[in-house]
Amino acid sequence: MKTADERKTLVQVNFGKLPPDLVIQGGTLVNVNTREIQRADIIIKGQRIAAVEFGETSWTGKCPVIDATGQYLAPGFIDPHIHIESSAITVTEFARTVVPRGITTIAEDPHEIANVLGLEGIKLFIKEAKGVPLNFLLRVPGRIPANAHNIETSGGEITLKQTIDILDWEEAVCLAGDINPNLILSMDPQQFAKIAYTIKMKKTISGQSPCLTGAALNAYIAAGVEDSHVSKDTEEILDIARHGMRPLITHRSMLFGVSDYTKLVKAINDKNLDTRLMSFTTDDVAPNVLYKQGHLDERVRLAIAAGLNPVTAYQLATCNTAEHLRIRRDFGELSPGKFADILILDNLESVKVDKVISHGKLVAEKGKLVSDPIPFIYPQRAMHTMKTKSRPRPVDFQIKVGKTRKWVKARVINPGERDREIFASLPVQGGVVHPDAKKNIASVTVLERHNASGDMANGFVTGYGINSGAVASSVNHDAHNIIALGLSFEDMAMAVDRLVSNGGGYVTVKDGKILAEIKLPIAGLISDLPLKTVAEEFEVFEHILKDKLGWNPHGHPTDDLTFLCLPNIHRITITDKGVFDTSTMKPVNVIIK
Amino acid sequence: MKTADERKTLVQVNFGKLPPDLVIQGGTLVNVNTREIQRADIIIKGQRIAAVEFGETSWTGKCPVIDATGQYLAPGFIDPHIHIESSAITVTEFARTVVPRGITTIAEDPHEIANVLGLEGIKLFIKEAKGVPLNFLLRVPGRIPANAHNIETSGGEITLKQTIDILDWEEAVCLAGDINPNLILSMDPQQFAKIAYTIKMKKTISGQSPCLTGAALNAYIAAGVEDSHVSKDTEEILDIARHGMRPLITHRSMLFGVSDYTKLVKAINDKNLDTRLMSFTTDDVAPNVLYKQGHLDERVRLAIAAGLNPVTAYQLATCNTAEHLRIRRDFGELSPGKFADILILDNLESVKVDKVISHGKLVAEKGKLVSDPIPFIYPQRAMHTMKTKSRPRPVDFQIKVGKTRKWVKARVINPGERDREIFASLPVQGGVVHPDAKKNIASVTVLERHNASGDMANGFVTGYGINSGAVASSVNHDAHNIIALGLSFEDMAMAVDRLVSNGGGYVTVKDGKILAEIKLPIAGLISDLPLKTVAEEFEVFEHILKDKLGWNPHGHPTDDLTFLCLPNIHRITITDKGVFDTSTMKPVNVIIK
């Protein structure tokens, strides 16, 4: 319906000239506009709220009514920064999981699938999302590939012109900022062109400022970037908020942790800080974590448990985010004229969601969607992305030196500590440099899988605790080439071989036996199975990694594998083209002498 | 400078590759982002803030420096709803007055001048504003003329197509809402077309919801209107905020009063309400009030005096308004990348402004602009707008009935009480119906002055206390035809005659003598003299009105004359076409029997 006509129907409902389509009666409204909790009825016409009537129920007309007596009414949650791919499930399965938990709108950055499938990956997600009751907004990937072709091979590429085209799409809500902040700080012309165009389009510029302070933080914000989702602690959250940048708050391994909610809330309460610039987000949530703990609802719950005013906590998941994404005309509050995206909750503090209304329709109840989405079939091209030149042999994973040498000094990637590498002596046998479990040093290999070029690079890594066998994955941020990590070249080769024949996912091998595997056939990133199954597969896989291989990194087991190569995070990284120093983007030697 | 290039210079300043243009050092920042007060330096490049450095001064480079030790730094104030014409001074004189008080940005609705001069009036204001250090944003008049041609004659007309064109202008920030809410509630197609276009343009829809509650308020907000500036009390302010509409708070006669700040602040503090949807505004400020009390700064001062947290009060004049007008990317906070619109204050609570920086330049200091604006010359067409058909005669102001009658029952406009008229017996002499000072009933006439049509209408009005003589004005909302009010037809004719030959303004006459007059030659609305002079003229004029004629309406003396005809406010009104019931927009009889 055209804007003017739709608005007119809302007026007509108020004057009794048209019947409402739905009335929610008897509930108690979480009013994010004024930070109050009040009795109110909500009158709905089509996809929007026609009226909010405060006080005791006055509705007497005939139309479908939901009785919310004893329950709370809150705006649907909005997640401003999300990668569905990280949950390893389809958009359909994701909606089935998060909508009943109260997440009615997401801003998805399809960065992972686009690195594999390019523009087609983004279009597939949008197409799939049309079949589910989730408002799917698009974060326009800011830089695909993440690195230049001479540094890394990726499957997809989004040109500057395409980026600008995508920013015009109706779904596009922001320029996504999962990019290396150095691109801004070094004044990459393409990034500034994208920022200028986003400003012209009146859309939001999303970013990340990991540990930036002082001049670097000021420069980054002055460039136009408006949010960051990677703050490590309360101090960083407050620092960026004071500078006018919006902190998107989420807990994760090695950064802001679950216990940090208490510190943050204490700082807010002690100083009566204005929290309007703060929002909750999730970014990457592993499938087993999603299944066990929940999604954005978990952030709200944790903040309230830590002592945050419940209405304030709901603001961080609703109106604050709507303001940030410049969509508050339609989203983020329960007011006349807004989309009727409404949660009916049994309990405010524990975020116990009973029913979910999306755009005026009851879409979820008691933890389930009310109607089953039609399965979305991914095309063949998306299901066959593991393209390698030849079957891997153990010798391909080896670094060779002079046959007479017994030891070499090697540069070892140390992802546990940001900005670090270590140097270690490693044993040489028959000219082959070996990893050393006693020193907690494993071999690591990245192998190109998009163009079957045969490109691959070998190196060493520390901090994983692995003492035998190997693990391989086709999930490997951001280019998602194959990563293999292990103590045995034979097991690494076998794991990669199986991974390719599985069409992607995870494989772990020990002593020539496959111990566990997860198949992710969609782009080598996503399962076609239900979340419950995928979560169980991850639980089993992670358990076996720890139990049988000694796997023991600092954070989430699979995340610590798949984020190892991310040049945004680590100063020393490995790609299919070699080992690089990300501060200079120059290759560095693995063998020092 | 292009967006990308400008942003790059800000990055370069932070990395010491370019020098700043100005550093404000040693001050204490009013941080509207987090509601804190903190030591900070501000580094400026061009028109924007390059950096905000919290903590003790660290700046050591060479560049112009302002020492703000012992002073406060706050964002420049933004007024979201203003009619400069109501202060009867030019844009230049207005900027000279308000910029030193800290108002750096205004959203002006040139509704009055456009009702006289049409599109040309709007363009003249924009052209004049380019010569003064005030960010002039445009509220696009939503309905000029205010009424259909058969109800009222106006000088200017802005078509639907023109309105849509103007909404595209760079200065245009919102669709202005000084329109009769009934146009929305009765679903006028043009208003809905304008709303739909404004939504498409991602601009703000401004409105007014005088005393609307329940279904009418819900309908009005659901139609898309986002603010109201005419709330009468705290209850109405909170009611509209709870419904998601933004209250623009200002005190004025007969509505929200100065003492109401205390009630509002008590409600906010008692319930710890979120005030983010609230803003201060001024709307219409008479020149003598402006001169004596100030402008938006006065609203901030009153709210703080009433007990509002000072930073919260500053938020209501800065970031809240920037959010409302969708300009927070550039305005409303002191953060990197924003325009350097900065107040340096000696005292936070009393809003004692020492210096004003606008777009990076020092523009005002110690109550004065630092450089005198070049006078703007209005074209001849704007200076000759008092076009009448013939010289007025006393007989033109009379209502006649049968010569034998002694009394008639007449319908009398009663603007003191909203929605009211009274019926009274009036004496007839020689067939002429006379006003009656003892009953506090005066004659009122509206006379067309744009097209010299000779159209005029006579009626009666109560509540002004006038006991003799007459007053006439060319300021008369919204069409600004001549209004004359008096006890003597001879004095009314003389006042109008003088008003026309003066080129517009105000004239008061008693017993054939001119007692006082104010010349407003620009569009018959605006003086070409300094505020101080104009304020003194208004003081004298109002004093004489009260002292010599017994003038004693409820509110501000001249406002109560010039708003008498506003159909938005009063149910019974008079135009050059007759006396009308504004609820039906049908003419009504003055003489009942």
Side-chain angles (χ1 to χ4, degrees):
Chain A
M1 198 186 295
K2 278 190 181 166
T3 303
D5 293 337
E6 186 180 29
R7 297 280 173 177
K8 281 182 195 168
T9 65
L10 304 179
V11 174
Q12 288 173 301
V13 168
N14 274 292
F15 290 128
K17 290 175 186 167
L18 281 176
D21 293 330
L22 179 63
V23 169
I24 305 173
Q25 202 172 48
T28 298
L29 189 114
V30 180
N31 197 329
V32 296
N33 295 324
T34 54
R35 206 190 294 119
E36 292 174 285
I37 295 181
Q38 303 166 298
R39 262 288 299 115
D41 294 348
I42 300 178
I43 317 295
I44 295 165
K45 183 70 183 176
Q47 58 184 353
R48 293 187 185 267
I49 296 170
V52 176
E53 297 181 354
F54 293 104
E56 291 313 305
T57 293
S58 58
W59 178 255
T60 53
K62 278 190 184 172
C63 78
V65 169
I66 292 177
D67 182 2
T69 304
Q71 295 182 304
Y72 293 93
L73 312 175
F77 295 147
I78 307 168
D79 194 324
H81 187 135
I82 197 173
H83 308 276
I84 294 176
E85 301 98 308
S86 294
S87 298
I89 50 176
T90 61
V91 175
T92 305
E93 190 60 19
F94 183 78
R96 198 197 305 274
T97 304
V98 302
V99 172
R101 290 181 170 276
I103 294 90
T104 52
T105 299
I106 59 163
E108 155 74 13
D109 181 353
H111 185 266
E112 318 314 338
I113 198 165
N115 259 291
V116 177
L117 296 174
L119 192 57
E120 189 188 349
I122 301 177
K123 289 182 176 172
L124 283 170
F125 264 24
I126 291 177
K127 199 170 168 192
E128 184 177 6
K130 294 210 188 295
V132 294
L134 176 67
N135 308 315
F136 184 99
L137 304 174
L138 185 67
R139 297 170 54 83
V140 181
R143 191 171 167 90
I144 290 176
N147 292 305
H149 292 300
N150 62 324
I151 291 172
E152 187 173 38
T153 307
S154 91
E157 178 168 355
I158 309 282
T159 64
L160 175 61
K161 190 184 167 308
Q162 284 176 326
T163 306
I164 286 175
D165 285 348
I166 301 170
L167 275 166
D168 280 334
W169 293 359
E170 191 186 4
E171 297 87 357
V173 75
C174 67
L175 180 67
D178 270 356
I179 48 172
N180 191 329
N182 286 325
L183 288 168
I184 302 290
L185 301 181
S186 65
M187 296 197 294
D188 175 84
Q190 286 216 352
Q191 291 303 320
F192 277 83
K194 288 173 190 176
I195 285 174
Y197 190 78
T198 309
I199 290 173
K200 190 178 160 201
M201 292 296 295
K202 302 186 175 181
K203 296 190 176 182
T204 296
I205 299 159
S206 190
Q208 61 170 339
S209 65
C211 295
L212 298 185
T213 59
L217 179 64
N218 274 296
Y220 191 61
I221 298 172
V225 183
E226 299 178 275
D227 72 32
S228 177
H229 62 293
V230 293
S231 299
K232 66 183 181 313
D233 55 25
T234 295
E235 200 176 315
E236 189 174 342
I237 286 172
L238 298 184
D239 189 36
I240 69 172
R242 286 170 181 141
H243 281 89
M245 182 181 249
R246 290 177 185 257
L248 308 184
I249 299 160
T250 186
H251 55 274
R252 64 179 106 206
S253 56
M254 293 172 28
L255 290 172
F256 189 86
V258 168
S259 65
D260 284 310
Y261 285 94
T262 307
K263 293 177 206 162
L264 175 63
V265 170
K266 186 174 184 324
I268 291 168
N269 289 347
D270 283 356
K271 298 186 176 180
N272 188 26
L273 297 182
D274 197 328
T275 52
R276 71 170 80 185
L277 294 192
M278 301 177 191
S279 287
F280 295 125
T281 193
T282 56
D283 196 7
D284 303 294
V285 183
N288 42 346
V289 175
L290 176 58
Y291 186 73
K292 282 189 289 188
Q293 296 173 6
H295 196 253
L296 205 65
D297 54 320
E298 174 70 359
R299 278 74 182 154
V300 176
R301 196 158 35 235
L302 286 168
I304 295 173
L308 193 62
N309 175 317
V311 186
T312 303
Y314 278 74
Q315 287 179 322
L316 266 73
T318 59
C319 61
N320 293 9
T321 309
E323 274 169 17
H324 174 43
L325 297 178
R326 296 177 164 82
I327 55 171
R328 192 165 174 179
R329 196 194 300 273
D330 294 312
F331 293 94
E333 59 181 271
L334 297 182
S335 302
K338 312 293 175 192
F339 284 131
D341 294 348
I342 306 168
L343 313 185
I344 305 178
L345 300 117
D346 290 326
N347 185 294
L348 204 58
E349 287 78 9
S350 66
V351 196
K352 189 166 184 298
V353 177
D354 175 41
K355 295 185 183 71
V356 178
I357 317 283
S358 178
H359 281 34
K361 304 271 183 243
L362 178 71
V363 296
E365 190 164 8
K366 302 205 183 308
K368 288 191 175 160
L369 295 186
V370 294
S371 56
D372 214 40
I374 299 161
F376 180 81
I377 307 298
Y378 274 81
Q380 281 303 303
R381 152 141 165 77
M383 304 296 282
H384 293 94
T385 61
M386 301 301 294
K387 297 172 193 153
T388 50
K389 192 172 183 182
S390 54
R391 293 191 66 174
R393 303 162 301 164
V395 67
D396 299 331
F397 296 80
Q398 296 172 350
I399 294 175
K400 295 203 173 149
V401 293
K403 290 205 173 181
T404 59
R405 299 188 64 175
K406 299 288 182 199
W407 298 91
V408 291
K409 184 180 174 190
R411 183 191 309 269
V412 178
I413 303 168
N414 182 15
E417 306 264 330
R418 198 180 273 192
D419 245 17
R420 279 294 194 84
E421 59 200 330
I422 63 168
F423 296 92
S425 288
L426 290 177
V428 180
Q429 290 173 349
V432 175
V433 186
H434 280 263
D436 187 345
K438 282 179 294 227
K439 291 181 174 165
N440 193 8
I441 293 171
S443 284
V444 61
T445 292
V446 174
L447 193 153
E448 196 276 323
R449 64 114 160 167
H450 303 294
N451 306 324
S453 66
D455 284 346
M456 63 191 291
N458 300 321
F460 296 99
V461 65
T462 186
Y464 283 80
I466 182 170
N467 54 32
S468 58
V471 57
S473 173
S474 56
V475 181
N476 177 22
H477 298 273
D478 281 330
H480 301 295
N481 288 305
I482 296 166
I483 184 168
L485 195 149
L487 264 294
S488 150
F489 302 123
E490 288 73 19
D491 288 348
M492 288 171 82
M494 188 176 174
V496 170
D497 191 41
R498 178 70 166 217
L499 184 73
V500 172
S501 62
N502 279 353
Y506 293 82
V507 176
T508 184
V509 173
K510 184 174 174 177
D511 301 333
K513 278 190 192 163
I514 290 161
L515 297 186
E517 61 188 351
I518 302 169
K519 292 182 185 173
L520 301 177
I522 301 167
L525 302 171
I526 298 168
S527 174
D528 50 4
L529 300 176
L531 174 67
K532 185 168 186 291
T533 310
V534 179
E536 284 165 0
E537 287 178 346
F538 272 77
E539 282 289 299
V540 167
F541 191 87
E542 290 175 7
H543 178 77
I544 287 173
L545 265 187
K546 288 189 223 174
D547 202 45
K548 307 288 184 191
L549 273 66
W551 187 263
N552 185 29
H554 297 271
H556 185 91
T558 44
D559 281 359
D560 276 348
L561 175 66
T562 60
F563 284 94
L564 166 60
C565 298
L566 195 66
N568 295 0
I569 297 184
H570 307 295
R571 190 166 70 80
I572 304 296
T573 192
I574 179 169
T575 76
D576 61 310
K577 299 284 191 184
V579 177
F580 289 87
D581 182 330
T582 64
S583 65
T584 59
M585 286 298 177
K586 301 275 188 223
V588 290
N589 291 334
V590 174
I591 303 304
I592 303 302
K593 63 178 182 185
Chain B
M1 198 186 294
K2 277 191 185 167
T3 303
D5 293 337
E6 186 181 30
R7 297 281 174 174
K8 282 182 195 167
T9 67
L10 304 178
V11 174
Q12 289 173 302
V13 167
N14 273 292
F15 290 126
K17 291 175 187 168
L18 281 175
D21 293 330
L22 180 63
V23 170
I24 306 174
Q25 201 170 46
T28 299
L29 188 112
V30 180
N31 197 330
V32 297
N33 294 325
T34 53
R35 205 191 294 119
E36 292 176 284
I37 295 180
Q38 303 166 298
R39 264 285 301 112
D41 294 348
I42 300 178
I43 317 296
I44 295 166
K45 184 70 183 176
Q47 59 183 354
R48 293 186 187 266
I49 296 171
V52 176
E53 297 181 354
F54 292 103
E56 291 313 305
T57 292
S58 58
W59 178 253
T60 53
K62 279 189 182 174
C63 77
V65 168
I66 292 177
D67 183 2
T69 304
Q71 295 182 304
Y72 293 92
L73 313 175
F77 294 147
I78 307 167
D79 195 324
H81 187 137
I82 196 173
H83 307 276
I84 293 175
E85 302 98 308
S86 293
S87 297
I89 50 176
T90 61
V91 176
T92 305
E93 190 60 19
F94 183 79
R96 199 197 305 276
T97 305
V98 303
V99 172
R101 291 182 170 276
I103 294 89
T104 51
T105 299
I106 59 163
E108 155 73 15
D109 181 354
H111 185 264
E112 319 311 342
I113 198 164
N115 259 291
V116 178
L117 296 174
L119 193 56
E120 189 188 348
I122 301 177
K123 288 181 175 172
L124 284 168
F125 264 24
I126 291 176
K127 199 170 168 192
E128 184 177 7
K130 293 208 187 297
V132 293
L134 177 66
N135 308 316
F136 184 98
L137 303 175
L138 185 67
R139 294 171 56 83
V140 181
R143 191 172 166 91
I144 291 176
N147 292 306
H149 294 299
N150 62 325
I151 292 172
E152 188 174 36
T153 307
S154 92
E157 179 169 354
I158 308 283
T159 64
L160 175 61
K161 190 186 166 308
Q162 284 175 325
T163 306
I164 285 175
D165 285 349
I166 301 170
L167 275 166
D168 280 334
W169 294 358
E170 192 185 5
E171 298 87 356
V173 74
C174 67
L175 179 69
D178 270 356
I179 49 172
N180 191 328
N182 286 325
L183 288 169
I184 301 289
L185 302 181
S186 65
M187 295 195 295
D188 176 86
Q190 286 215 352
Q191 291 303 320
F192 277 82
K194 289 173 190 175
I195 286 173
Y197 191 78
T198 309
I199 290 173
K200 191 179 159 200
M201 293 295 295
K202 300 186 176 182
K203 297 191 176 181
T204 297
I205 299 158
S206 189
Q208 59 172 339
S209 64
C211 296
L212 299 184
T213 58
L217 179 62
N218 274 297
Y220 191 60
I221 298 173
V225 183
E226 298 178 276
D227 71 31
S228 177
H229 61 294
V230 293
S231 299
K232 66 183 182 313
D233 56 24
T234 295
E235 199 175 317
E236 189 173 342
I237 286 172
L238 297 185
D239 190 34
I240 69 172
R242 286 170 181 142
H243 281 89
M245 181 181 249
R246 290 177 184 259
L248 308 184
I249 299 161
T250 187
H251 54 272
R252 63 179 106 208
S253 56
M254 293 172 28
L255 289 174
F256 189 86
V258 169
S259 65
D260 283 311
Y261 286 95
T262 308
K263 293 177 206 162
L264 176 63
V265 170
K266 187 174 184 321
I268 291 169
N269 290 347
D270 283 356
K271 298 186 177 182
N272 187 27
L273 297 182
D274 196 328
T275 53
R276 71 170 80 184
L277 294 192
M278 301 178 189
S279 287
F280 294 125
T281 193
T282 56
D283 196 6
D284 303 295
V285 183
N288 42 348
V289 176
L290 177 59
Y291 186 73
K292 284 188 287 189
Q293 296 173 5
H295 197 252
L296 205 65
D297 54 320
E298 173 71 357
R299 278 72 181 155
V300 177
R301 198 158 33 238
L302 286 167
I304 295 173
L308 193 61
N309 175 317
V311 186
T312 303
Y314 279 72
Q315 287 179 320
L316 266 73
T318 58
C319 61
N320 292 9
T321 310
E323 273 170 18
H324 174 42
L325 297 178
R326 296 177 165 82
I327 56 171
R328 193 164 174 180
R329 197 196 299 274
D330 294 314
F331 293 92
E333 59 181 272
L334 298 182
S335 303
K338 311 293 175 192
F339 284 132
D341 294 347
I342 305 168
L343 314 185
I344 304 179
L345 301 117
D346 290 326
N347 186 295
L348 203 59
E349 286 78 9
S350 66
V351 196
K352 189 165 185 297
V353 177
D354 176 43
K355 296 184 182 71
V356 179
I357 317 283
S358 178
H359 280 35
K361 306 269 182 243
L362 179 71
V363 297
E365 191 166 8
K366 301 205 185 306
K368 287 189 173 160
L369 294 186
V370 294
S371 57
D372 215 39
I374 299 161
F376 181 80
I377 308 298
Y378 273 81
Q380 282 304 301
R381 152 139 165 78
M383 305 297 283
H384 293 94
T385 62
M386 301 301 295
K387 296 172 194 152
T388 49
K389 191 173 184 180
S390 53
R391 294 192 64 177
R393 303 162 301 163
V395 67
D396 298 331
F397 296 80
Q398 297 171 349
I399 293 175
K400 296 204 171 149
V401 293
K403 288 203 172 181
T404 58
R405 300 189 61 177
K406 298 289 182 198
W407 298 93
V408 291
K409 183 179 173 190
R411 183 192 309 269
V412 178
I413 302 167
N414 182 17
E417 306 264 331
R418 196 179 274 192
D419 243 19
R420 279 291 196 86
E421 60 200 328
I422 62 168
F423 296 93
S425 289
L426 290 177
V428 180
Q429 290 171 353
V432 175
V433 186
H434 280 263
D436 187 344
K438 284 184 291 241
K439 290 181 174 166
N440 194 8
I441 292 171
S443 285
V444 61
T445 291
V446 173
L447 193 152
E448 197 276 324
R449 64 116 160 167
H450 303 293
N451 306 324
S453 66
D455 284 346
M456 63 190 294
N458 300 321
F460 296 98
V461 65
T462 187
Y464 283 81
I466 183 169
N467 53 33
S468 58
V471 58
S473 174
S474 56
V475 181
N476 177 23
H477 297 272
D478 281 329
H480 301 294
N481 287 305
I482 296 166
I483 183 167
L485 194 149
L487 265 295
S488 151
F489 302 123
E490 288 74 16
D491 289 348
M492 288 172 83
M494 188 177 176
V496 170
D497 192 40
R498 178 70 164 217
L499 184 73
V500 171
S501 62
N502 279 352
Y506 294 84
V507 176
T508 183
V509 172
K510 184 173 175 177
D511 301 334
K513 279 189 190 162
I514 289 162
L515 297 185
E517 61 189 351
I518 303 168
K519 292 181 185 173
L520 302 176
I522 301 168
L525 302 171
I526 297 168
S527 173
D528 49 4
L529 300 175
L531 174 67
K532 186 169 187 292
T533 311
V534 180
E536 282 165 2
E537 288 179 347
F538 272 76
E539 281 291 300
V540 168
F541 191 87
E542 291 175 5
H543 178 77
I544 287 173
L545 266 187
K546 289 190 223 175
D547 203 44
K548 307 289 184 194
L549 272 66
W551 188 262
N552 186 29
H554 298 269
H556 185 90
T558 43
D559 281 0
D560 276 348
L561 175 65
T562 60
F563 283 94
L564 165 59
C565 298
L566 195 64
N568 295 1
I569 297 184
H570 307 294
R571 190 166 70 81
I572 304 297
T573 191
I574 180 169
T575 76
D576 62 309
K577 299 285 192 184
V579 177
F580 289 86
D581 182 330
T582 63
S583 65
T584 59
M585 285 298 176
K586 302 274 186 220
V588 291
N589 291 333
V590 174
I591 304 304
I592 303 301
K593 60 178 185 183

